[in-house]
Amino acid sequence: MQVEALNAVVVGAGTMGTTLAKLMAAQGVSVILVDTNRHVLETSRLSMGESAAVGFASELTAGQHPDFVIESVTEDVAVKQQVIAQIEASVADSSIIMTNTSGIPIDEIAANMRLPQRFLGTHFFNPADIVPAVEVVPGSHTQASVVETACRWLKQLGKRPAILNTCVPGFVANRIQHAVMRECLALLERGVVEPEALDDIVQYSIGVRMALNGPLYQRDLNGLDTHLNIARYLYPDLDARDKPAALLEDYVAQGRLGAKAGRGFYRWSDESRAQHQAQERESLQRIIKIATQHAKENAS
Ligand SMILES: NC(=O)c1ccc[n+]([C@@H]2O[C@H](COP(=O)([O-])OP(=O)(O)OC[C@H]3O[C@@H](n4cnc5c(N)ncnc54)[C@H](O)[C@@H]3O)[C@@H](O)[C@H]2O)c1
């Protein structure tokens, strides 16, 4: 289904902005991708292929009337506030403005906005043109009709918008991801398991199951009484620190930043990273197809 002729602006042409523009262009939305870094813009343009629907610009131009603007710049509240101010100064009052923040509270980003009622969080996942979920996060000033319009558009783009009742730091996905990673790092620090074994256990148990069912649906299948019995003896032993693990601080201080730096928990070469990236898009699409089919079969 092609989306009715709409115009959008995406500010920030990095990892997320590029795949957001790809998503929209594929659905017939006319999109302008803006980034102050000309090198980033050029890289984005090259990765986009020949898409007539995407325009590239190094700054916002005044007097635009896009239906939607998505801010997807660096995850820094001051930078985002500045970019939102530029967006508000450039686009019509009727444009809906979204932020793709991974979890900065919406009211903080909107603190200096003139019209915060047309602003909300829409947290896409990487790559935005493939992963279906979008966390939709209203701020305390966001109008209900703005949330409705944004969700309708996201569905037309083929996404699965899920609305939060209340904005909390990290929203839902990053809170869960960080709770999982806090325990993973604690297990490594305690010497309970090696990184390869931990990845194997999680990927081929909880991981494969969660590709089919959300955690609550899955627990229903397992039995809540069993879950409670385990929770009673286990929680006192789980990691509950309110600071990042020393192991993580050490790795980052040493420049072990992960695949992009050649070393994180594993060693990476340019080839191994490129090979992973080349396979990931297609594999993700296949997993999403299986998950969607599984959900349909369960519903029928
Ligand atoms: N990478 C992910 O997996 C992911 C997933 C979901 C959400 N996000 C969120 O999406 C946003 C963007 O993340 P990313 O990974 O694409 O970052 P990125 O670093 O790849 O891209 C950010 C871009 O913003 C540009 N930028 C900075 N200031 C600007 C300005 N004033 N005007 C125009 N452009 C400006 C930078 O030049 C850069 O190209 C962040 O809020 C991030 O938390 C990231």
Side-chain angles (χ1 to χ4, degrees):
M1 182 182 62
Q2 288 274 301
V3 176
E4 58 191 284
L6 288 174
N7 298 303
V9 173
V10 177
V11 186
T15 309
M16 291 304 290
T18 296
T19 55
L20 281 166
K22 263 188 200 166
L23 164 74
M24 292 173 206
Q27 295 294 335
V29 178
S30 168
V31 52
I32 297 173
L33 194 46
V34 181
D35 202 297
T36 43
N37 184 327
R38 286 178 186 275
H39 175 69
V40 169
L41 266 186
E42 183 57 13
T43 306
S44 176
R45 194 181 65 75
L46 291 173
S47 82
M48 201 77 64
E50 289 301 310
S51 175
V54 181
F56 296 87
S58 56
E59 59 184 28
L60 282 156
T61 42
Q64 298 183 58
H65 295 79
D67 299 282
F68 299 95
V69 185
I70 304 186
E71 168 281 305
S72 190
V73 301
T74 318
E75 185 78 343
D76 176 308
V77 70
V79 175
K80 287 190 184 290
Q81 285 176 343
Q82 194 192 2
V83 168
I84 295 294
Q86 287 166 358
I87 292 170
E88 270 208 308
S90 313
V91 304
D93 286 357
S94 56
S95 302
I96 289 180
I97 305 175
M98 302 156 151
T99 171
N100 187 37
T101 176
S102 298
I104 300 173
I106 299 308
D107 285 352
E108 267 184 49
I109 299 176
N112 307 318
M113 280 185 82
R114 188 168 51 83
L115 297 171
Q117 59 269 36
R118 43 96 166 247
F119 180 67
L120 77 168
T122 49
H123 178 210
F124 292 77
F125 295 83
N126 186 32
D129 58 328
I130 293 180
V131 180
V134 181
E135 292 182 289
V136 175
V137 193
S140 52
H141 300 286
T142 314
Q143 252 170 13
S145 61
V146 166
V147 177
E148 274 166 36
T149 307
C151 286
R152 203 176 322 121
W153 186 52
L154 290 168
K155 283 183 188 160
Q156 287 174 342
L157 290 172
K159 296 288 143 189
R160 300 176 71 98
I163 305 172
L164 272 63
N165 299 329
T166 305
C167 177
V168 285
F171 309 149
V172 171
N174 269 311
R175 290 179 82 93
I176 291 174
Q177 183 153 258
H178 279 260
V180 169
M181 273 308 293
R182 181 167 61 181
E183 188 56 33
C184 289
L185 289 161
L187 289 167
L188 295 185
E189 282 184 342
R190 288 167 69 175
V192 172
V193 66
E194 296 304 315
E196 294 82 357
L198 183 148
D199 269 356
D200 233 45
I201 294 165
V202 175
Q203 181 179 357
Y204 292 104
S205 62
I206 308 169
V208 288
R209 277 206 312 243
M210 278 207 199
L212 297 183
N213 301 311
L216 303 178
Y217 193 97
Q218 208 288 321
R219 291 291 89 182
D220 261 7
L221 292 169
N222 212 51
L224 299 186
D225 49 345
T226 307
H227 188 87
L228 177 62
N229 286 340
I230 298 170
R232 282 197 175 119
Y233 69 72
L234 182 58
Y235 284 15
D237 198 55
L238 291 181
D239 193 57
R241 280 175 292 182
D242 65 2
K243 295 219 161 41
L247 178 78
L248 181 62
E249 299 273 15
D250 286 352
Y251 277 17
V252 173
Q254 289 168 34
R256 285 175 68 168
L257 308 182
K260 64 184 172 190
R263 193 156 185 215
F265 296 108
Y266 297 93
R267 288 186 183 277
W268 295 83
S269 63
D270 288 346
E271 295 74 48
S272 63
R273 193 169 60 142
Q275 191 187 2
H276 176 88
Q277 284 169 342
Q279 284 168 357
E280 191 182 56
R281 287 176 67 85
E282 205 225 325
S283 299
L284 275 174
Q285 280 166 319
R286 278 192 284 158
I287 291 169
I288 292 162
K289 202 169 163 192
I290 293 168
T292 312
Q293 185 63 34
H294 179 78
K296 263 197 207 131
E297 282 162 11
N298 277 347
S300 58

